[in-house]
Amino acid sequence: MRAMYFEAFEATPDVRNLPDPTPTEGGVVIKVEATGLCRSDWHGWMGHDPDIRLPHVPGHELAGTVMAVGKGVRRFREGQRVTVPFVSGCGHCGECRSGNQQVCEEQFQPGFTHWGSFAEYVAIDYADQNLVHLPEAVDYATAASLGCRFATSFRAVVDQARVTGGEWVAVHGCGGVGLSAIMIAAALGANPVAIDISDEKLDFARKMGAVATINARNVADVADAVRDITGGGAHASVDALGSPVTCFNSIKNLRRRGRHVQVGLMLADHAAPQIPMAQVIGHELEIYGSHGMQAWRYDAMLAMIESGKLAPQNLIGRHISLDEAVPALMAMDKATDLGISVITRF
Ligand SMILES: [Zn+2]
Ligand SMILES: [Zn+2]
């Protein structure tokens, strides 16, 4: 198979031929039809993720067709259209048995703990517990774009922040995660406020449902600006970027008893950011993480996509080839692209 491959962190990956994978007893091999390019892939390539062992094939947001099935797999067969959460649960640990596969103790993550989907084929373990059947109405590129950013945002807004109609939701950072969170909050009837440093991204955020925008470069204090717009602070707030500044602002701009959800990754130098803990106590704020979404919760998200309430395909910026993905991956931290890049040619 053709695959993107690197033997050292921060070294230019190459696209080369590697042996085709074979399924484990409980796993499948998927022919990758589409796979999203994500900032987490950049973190992995930089060496920020301790799960990655070299040499490595990145890629964790995928959709495709089942090509080979392990002996122990019951629910899936060759030819079926599927996608998979980027955190796949083992199915037997305590977290999995409580329905929280997204924090499984023995998780399988394509593109992190194992070789991923920047390749013609990818092996996925724990198939029965994690694969998701794709409705015919959802094309492969759209399904791949759900992979981590949209699904993680769905869990962040719906399950962690418990956003309801009429609430103010601040979203810090208008990349793939942030735009997804805005679209999902708007679909729930909430009022999303988008914050970024790019007017172009803020314009895009309005098209996705933001009712107000703040360019952080143009205000003295982002939290004050959010409080002004929302009449006292956001009910819920998402740090969709993952930086000490956006994390701090996302907590600071909450109203009393507000909920912050950290979705943007905080790795390496950013792993222990400053947070306004006095305000967390005095105002009884809630602070959550959101780490992917369990396969069984995809039903709710897919139903909203099929009904047209959510349109994740609108977040796709461009379709690229596997070769074009190499420079795109390396430039991910300074990406100015609007929307998500999806690899659809291998
Ligand atoms: Zn588990
Ligand atoms: Zn991702």
Side-chain angles (χ1 to χ4, degrees):
M1 64 172 183
R2 270 166 56 79
M4 189 195 293
Y5 174 94
F6 57 81
E7 290 179 340
F9 297 121
E10 295 188 62
T12 304
D14 62 357
V15 175
R16 64 166 69 179
N17 279 307
L18 295 170
D20 289 348
T22 52
T24 60
E25 184 167 346
V28 298
V29 170
I30 295 172
K31 179 177 190 297
V32 183
E33 305 283 358
T35 181
L37 192 63
C38 171
R39 198 153 175 260
S40 308
D41 299 310
W42 177 83
H43 277 299
W45 170 71
M46 287 292 289
H48 296 166
D49 192 317
D51 287 336
I52 294 177
R53 286 180 302 277
L54 297 170
H56 189 61
V57 174
H60 59 280
E61 308 185 346
L62 68 119
T65 319
V66 177
M67 290 300 287
V69 177
K71 285 198 302 289
V73 175
R74 297 280 170 269
R75 295 179 50 231
F76 294 89
R77 55 179 192 279
E78 286 172 32
Q80 290 181 322
R81 304 170 76 249
V82 293
T83 189
V84 67
F86 80 93
V87 179
S88 290
C90 69
H92 58 254
C93 74
E95 299 303 338
C96 283
R97 282 187 280 117
S98 76
N100 289 295
Q101 291 84 351
Q102 78 283 0
V103 290
C104 169
E105 293 162 26
E106 296 170 45
Q107 52 193 251
F108 174 98
Q109 294 187 20
F112 299 102
T113 63
H114 292 73
W115 281 10
S117 55
F118 291 175
E120 288 178 282
Y121 300 99
V122 62
I124 300 292
D125 217 347
Y126 312 141
D128 278 338
Q129 291 85 0
N130 296 287
L131 290 195
V132 176
H133 287 289
L134 272 187
E136 284 300 326
V138 180
D139 64 64
Y140 286 119
T142 301
S145 77
L146 303 177
C148 117
R149 286 163 284 200
F150 201 86
T152 303
S153 292
F154 191 88
R155 176 166 170 73
V157 172
V158 177
D159 290 348
Q160 298 291 74
R162 310 180 307 279
V163 167
T164 57
E167 289 192 320
W168 290 99
V169 180
V171 177
H172 297 258
C174 295
V177 170
L179 293 169
S180 302
I182 287 164
M183 182 189 291
I184 294 158
L188 297 173
N191 297 319
V193 178
I195 300 118
D196 203 284
I197 53 171
S198 153
D199 284 333
E200 210 182 358
K201 288 189 177 181
L202 291 170
D203 285 345
F204 198 24
R206 270 196 193 272
K207 293 195 183 86
M208 296 302 123
V211 299
T213 60
I214 296 168
N215 187 321
R217 289 223 164 107
N218 300 342
V219 295
D221 185 296
V222 168
D224 283 346
V226 172
R227 266 192 228 102
D228 285 347
I229 289 170
T230 59
H235 296 86
S237 187
V238 176
D239 175 12
L241 176 67
S243 84
V245 172
T246 48
C247 171
F248 186 90
N249 286 339
S250 178
I251 298 167
K252 193 91 199 304
N253 69 193
L254 289 170
R255 70 177 56 204
R256 288 163 195 257
R257 295 184 54 78
R259 294 92 66 193
H260 161 79
V261 188
Q262 186 66 38
V263 182
L265 296 180
M266 303 288 274
L267 299 171
D269 297 345
H270 294 170
Q274 190 189 11
I275 62 170
M277 194 54 90
Q279 185 187 346
V280 172
I281 298 164
H283 292 183
E284 288 198 347
L285 306 183
E286 298 175 53
I287 297 183
Y288 296 94
S290 186
H291 188 243
M293 186 169 80
Q294 321 91 309
W296 64 268
R297 283 293 284 151
Y298 271 59
D299 284 356
M301 180 174 69
L302 288 169
M304 289 181 79
I305 294 169
E306 281 191 279
S307 72
K309 284 200 167 63
L310 295 175
Q313 64 274 17
N314 293 344
L315 301 176
I316 296 174
R318 57 187 186 130
H319 290 228
I320 60 174
S321 70
L322 191 58
D323 295 295
E324 289 165 343
V326 172
L329 170 72
M330 294 168 68
M332 202 73 205
D333 64 322
K334 28 190 183 301
T336 52
D337 290 358
L338 284 181
I340 294 170
S341 296
V342 181
I343 303 169
T344 50
R345 301 188 303 278
F346 293 85

